[in-house]
Amino acid sequence: MDFGIATAVTDEGIRPHVLGAAMEEKGFDSLYLPEHSHIPVSRESPYPGGELPRGALRNLDPFIALTAVATVTSTLRLGTAVALMIQRDLFYTAKEIASLDLLSNGRVAFGVGAGWNIEEMRNHGVDPRTRGALLTEQLRALKEIWTKDEAEFHGKHVDFDPVYAWPKPVRKPHPPIYVAGQGPASLKRLAEHADGWLPHSGTPPAELRRVRSWLADNGRTDIWISVFGAPADPGLLQSLADAGVDEVSLMLPTLPEAETLERLDELAKVIEPLRA
């Protein structure tokens, strides 16, 4: 089982290039960053984890931060958990991810979710009632843009005639797409359009096994399961390994540089016995 870090890189904490270099030196496999363009001051949407973390208010753009990480690392996978694709321009996003994949020599893992902040997505002109259908079409269209010299797509929510769009990603056929969410619609999207699943760390091992079996029954034995944002609990991590999870990203709070490096040392010691 691989081990990564899930954290919000902000203007108040460690800089991304320092974090990435330290992670690779300590043997971590991946870094996952979240995304919010903004947080509306007046908000009724509850944060799924309880109180809204400060990192959600101040996170850097994930693709710019991951580009900084790419310049000082050579093996670390560069992921989003999650990018809010429904709030993004399709063509700019395709170019950003392909550019990062090119500059990192194929190390991007594009994690996406439909989002929870209704007010935020409305500010982007997104109808929350159709966000799932929009996301599905965007993922299909991204694959066309990344893999075709003359890409076109005609759907209900995404529609464009043939276009040129370069660069193309280094990773073939395209950077892996990881889908978050555990409801029926999310799992359908996972089975039909994704390469990996991003369940949260509270997902019971029995449910992880059930979904793995369900995916196999639907012809998807190749799905990568990456549990997101786990606490550094050796018992939990062992249970996830026993459940056949491919990767776990450990939650790292947003801290100043010295404190972050100390915490990384602690996390590296926690996972060392599990790597043996």
Side-chain angles (χ1 to χ4, degrees):
M1 187 166 70
D2 287 356
F3 290 94
I5 290 293
T7 191
V9 175
T10 79
D11 58 325
E12 297 179 320
I14 190 171
R15 293 296 180 256
H17 65 287
V18 179
L19 173 63
M23 285 180 56
E24 189 164 277
E25 180 184 355
K26 297 176 192 304
F28 288 94
D29 301 293
S30 55
L31 171 62
Y32 289 92
L33 302 183
E35 174 174 52
H36 282 286
S37 59
H38 66 286
I39 298 292
V41 174
S42 178
R43 176 174 58 85
E44 296 181 6
S45 302
Y47 178 69
E51 183 178 354
L52 183 73
R54 189 170 178 84
L57 289 170
R58 308 185 72 105
N59 59 279
L60 304 187
D61 176 276
F63 297 107
I64 292 177
L66 290 171
T67 300
V69 174
T71 64
V72 295
T73 58
S74 58
T75 62
L76 197 70
R77 288 193 298 275
L78 311 170
T80 51
V82 293
L84 300 176
M85 184 67 207
I86 60 168
Q87 300 178 179
R88 290 179 144 266
D89 178 85
L90 174 70
F91 296 105
Y92 277 122
T93 302
K95 185 176 288 287
E96 282 184 86
I97 297 169
S99 298
L100 177 58
D101 199 62
L102 177 69
L103 295 174
S104 67
N105 196 27
R107 290 187 279 139
V108 174
F110 183 47
V112 297
W116 59 269
N117 194 327
I118 300 300
E119 291 78 16
E120 179 182 0
M121 62 185 74
R122 281 179 174 153
N123 283 352
H124 285 276
V126 174
D127 183 348
R129 297 170 297 180
T130 59
R131 65 187 186 273
L134 170 60
L135 176 58
T136 295
E137 288 194 6
Q138 287 177 321
L139 296 182
R140 291 171 57 202
L142 278 176
K143 294 178 185 181
E144 293 296 308
I145 294 169
W146 286 335
T147 60
K148 304 286 180 59
D149 285 349
E150 295 185 16
E152 65 179 302
F153 188 88
H154 302 286
K156 181 177 180 181
H157 305 281
V158 178
D159 184 81
F160 57 89
D161 290 329
V163 300
Y164 296 120
W166 276 275
K168 301 300 183 186
V170 169
R171 186 77 173 266
K172 301 302 179 186
H174 53 74
I177 295 171
Y178 297 173
V179 168
Q182 293 167 245
S186 295
L187 292 179
K188 184 175 186 292
R189 186 177 304 116
L190 168 65
E192 295 179 355
H193 305 292
D195 308 288
W197 183 35
L198 283 168
H200 61 73
S201 61
T203 307
E207 176 64 5
L208 297 170
R209 292 189 183 95
R210 185 196 71 80
V211 173
R212 175 78 83 184
S213 177
W214 176 80
L215 288 167
D217 290 343
N218 285 271
R220 296 304 308 273
T221 58
D222 56 336
I223 292 289
W224 177 269
I225 296 182
S226 178
V227 172
F228 170 75
D233 178 342
L236 171 63
L237 299 178
Q238 185 61 61
S239 71
L240 294 174
D242 294 342
V245 167
D246 298 294
E247 177 184 53
V248 174
S249 58
L250 302 176
M251 186 59 73
L252 178 69
T254 304
L255 298 167
E257 182 175 313
E259 295 174 52
T260 299
L261 297 178
E262 289 178 4
R263 183 60 177 153
L264 279 178
D265 281 333
E266 295 170 1
L267 295 176
K269 292 175 182 176
V270 169
I271 65 176
E272 185 176 357
L274 295 167
R275 288 190 180 278

